[in-house]
């Protein structure tokens, strides 16, 4: 973390460059007070991260890790109902955050997998989302309730910390999948563990 204390100790500091998107580890008010510019790389790894999110989504839908473990252990996985996966085509994907990475995810899901794509993002207009093939949801709860899979692409700040908490997880379908490739703090980890153990949702990546 680049804290006020770090800045105070760096007497010749002229600027802070974040090699990536998120600036949550930088004390922005302290930088402003010291007139130190802070910049990030908005286009950093947008396709890479979106592909990683889609990889997790496919792995969850097709039970890839449990099947792989079973084959490694037993040499074969009998085609029983326990291994029955789900197609993504025709399902609904909800995006929490529709910045560059979220919009890349929307393109892959909509054009590639024929999924309906919903989005919750107070910073983007309905028209902007529409151009990216995303239907804007006015509130998070309605997006979560309608989605077969939810992918988180928001920044971490005071307003998004634990945004996906118990209430949010309980509003999802019991078969729904949750993927978070953004900051871990956006999801309440203790609530997520309970959700998985008690079956509030279908899986998480």
């Amino acid at each position: 973390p680049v804290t006020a204390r770090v800045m105070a100790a760096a007497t010749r500091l002229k600027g802070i460059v974040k090699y990536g998107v998120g600036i949550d580890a930088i004390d922005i008010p302290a930088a402003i007070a010291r007139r130190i510019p802070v910049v990030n790389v908005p286009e950093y790894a947008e396709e890479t991260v979106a592909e990683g999110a889609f990889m997790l989504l496919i792995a969850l839908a097709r039970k890839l890790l449990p099947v792989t473990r079973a084959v490694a252990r037993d040499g074969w996985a009998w085609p029983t109902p326990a291994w029955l996966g789900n197609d993504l085509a025709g399902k609904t994907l909800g995006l929490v955050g529709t910045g560059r990475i979220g919009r890349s995810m929307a393109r892959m899901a909509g054009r590639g997998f024929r999924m309906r794509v919903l989005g919750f993002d107070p910073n983007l207009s309905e028209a902007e989302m529409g151009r990216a093939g995303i239907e804007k949801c006015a509130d998070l709860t309605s997006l979560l309730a309608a989605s077969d899979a939810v992918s988180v692409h928001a920044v971490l700040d005071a307003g998004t910390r634990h945004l996906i908490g118990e209430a949010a997880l309980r509003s999802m379908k019991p078969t729904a999948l949750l993927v978070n490739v953004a900051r871990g703090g956006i999801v309440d980890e203790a609530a997520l563990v309970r959700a998985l153990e008690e079956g509030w949702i279908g899986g998480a990546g």
Side-chain angles (χ1 to χ4, degrees):
V2 184
T3 63
R5 183 178 176 186
V6 170
M7 293 180 210
T11 56
R12 293 183 295 172
L13 185 61
K14 302 297 184 198
I16 300 168
V17 180
K18 169 60 193 287
Y19 183 43
V21 179
I23 54 172
D24 50 276
I26 301 168
D27 188 335
I28 300 298
I32 291 171
R34 292 179 176 274
R35 297 178 181 271
I36 299 169
V38 177
V39 298
N40 65 349
V41 186
E43 296 180 9
Y44 177 79
E46 60 187 72
E47 292 293 327
T48 304
V49 176
E51 286 183 15
F54 220 94
M55 174 199 65
L56 291 171
L57 184 56
I58 292 172
L60 287 168
R62 297 306 178 107
K63 302 184 179 179
L64 181 62
L65 288 179
V67 170
T68 301
R69 290 191 195 107
V71 171
R73 184 187 64 240
D74 304 327
W76 180 257
W78 292 100
T80 60
W83 300 128
L84 186 63
N86 289 296
D87 290 343
L88 295 177
K91 301 293 197 310
T92 298
L93 172 66
L95 299 173
V96 180
T98 57
R100 294 174 187 272
I101 296 170
R103 292 196 296 273
S104 289
M105 186 75 169
R107 187 194 72 247
M108 294 174 194
R111 295 183 195 169
F113 283 76
R114 295 183 291 107
M115 298 182 80
R116 178 189 181 201
V117 183
L118 308 178
F120 172 72
D121 191 330
N123 301 312
L124 239 64
S125 69
E126 184 174 355
E128 288 173 303
M129 284 195 193
R131 286 193 290 273
I134 305 168
E135 299 174 40
K136 184 176 177 72
C137 287
D139 61 89
L140 179 62
T141 302
S142 61
L143 176 139
L144 296 173
S147 298
D148 298 299
V150 174
S151 192
V152 180
H153 301 279
V155 297
L156 176 62
D157 57 27
T160 61
R161 184 172 295 279
H162 288 185
L163 181 67
I164 308 297
E166 179 171 344
L169 291 163
R170 286 189 181 277
S171 68
M172 293 172 65
K173 298 177 182 180
T175 54
L177 306 172
L178 175 68
V179 169
N180 180 21
V181 293
R183 293 291 191 259
I186 297 171
V187 178
D188 181 339
E189 189 173 288
L192 177 60
V193 170
R194 287 187 59 208
L196 293 169
E197 288 179 342
E198 298 177 15
W200 308 350
I201 64 174

